[in-house]
Amino acid sequence: MTKRVIAAALLIAAALAVSCGLLRYVNKVGKALTGYLEQAQEKHEQGGDYKKPLEQAQTLWREKREMLGVLLKHSDADEMEQYFYKIEKYMGTGDTEKLFETVEDCRAAIEVVLRGEQPAARNVF
């Protein structure tokens, strides 16, 4: 009986450790993405070159989207995929008004996802 209790406790501890690690991963990537998007907005407002931070955000998204697709709800990952597609499209066409509307929507979506991934009772029950 004690062996089973010890084994169960170890498995629960391992699951908790993995969950905490994955939560940190999602938060790290999400904050990096929002950081690049905020940088682009600030540079645009100041009349600077906003393309580099947007390209960095797109590169990071392409590198991490599969893992985020596994870790997040599919609808959240699909929504972010749609925003990054639109950002790329509007960068290509030069439509800065629609581009920065989409950047703001993308930032908001990422913030909502990050809040939803916090270890809080409201997110569990």
Side-chain angles (χ1 to χ4, degrees):
M1 177 88 167
T2 13
K3 290 180 184 179
R4 290 182 187 163
V5 172
I6 292 171
L10 289 174
L11 289 173
I12 290 171
L16 183 61
V18 168
S19 294
C20 288
L22 294 175
L23 175 63
R24 270 187 294 221
Y25 177 83
V26 168
N27 279 319
K28 179 182 172 186
V29 173
K31 288 179 193 257
L33 287 169
T34 56
Y36 288 135
L37 296 174
E38 287 171 1
Q39 237 178 23
Q41 282 181 313
E42 289 170 8
K43 289 188 180 210
H44 174 66
E45 290 167 2
Q46 297 167 355
D49 182 23
Y50 57 83
K51 290 184 180 181
K52 184 174 180 179
L54 288 178
E55 289 168 355
Q56 290 172 314
Q58 288 177 311
T59 299
L60 181 60
W61 172 251
R62 280 197 234 38
E63 291 172 357
K64 307 296 183 185
R65 71 178 162 201
E66 285 185 34
M67 183 59 121
L68 291 173
V70 170
L71 299 175
L72 301 173
K73 292 187 301 186
H74 292 291
S75 59
D76 290 341
D78 290 346
E79 181 180 15
M80 291 192 322
E81 178 72 29
Q82 181 181 13
Y83 287 129
F84 281 103
Y85 170 79
K86 286 181 179 181
I87 287 170
E88 185 175 352
K89 175 185 165 190
Y90 295 138
M91 281 179 66
T93 63
D95 190 343
T96 57
E97 185 177 326
K98 286 185 180 179
L99 172 63
F100 283 98
E101 284 177 19
T102 304
V103 166
E104 182 57 35
D105 290 344
C106 186
R107 272 186 56 216
I110 294 169
E111 290 294 332
V112 168
V113 167
L114 292 179
R115 281 191 212 133
E117 292 299 313
Q118 294 302 314
R122 71 180 189 282
N123 294 332
V124 176
F125 299 107

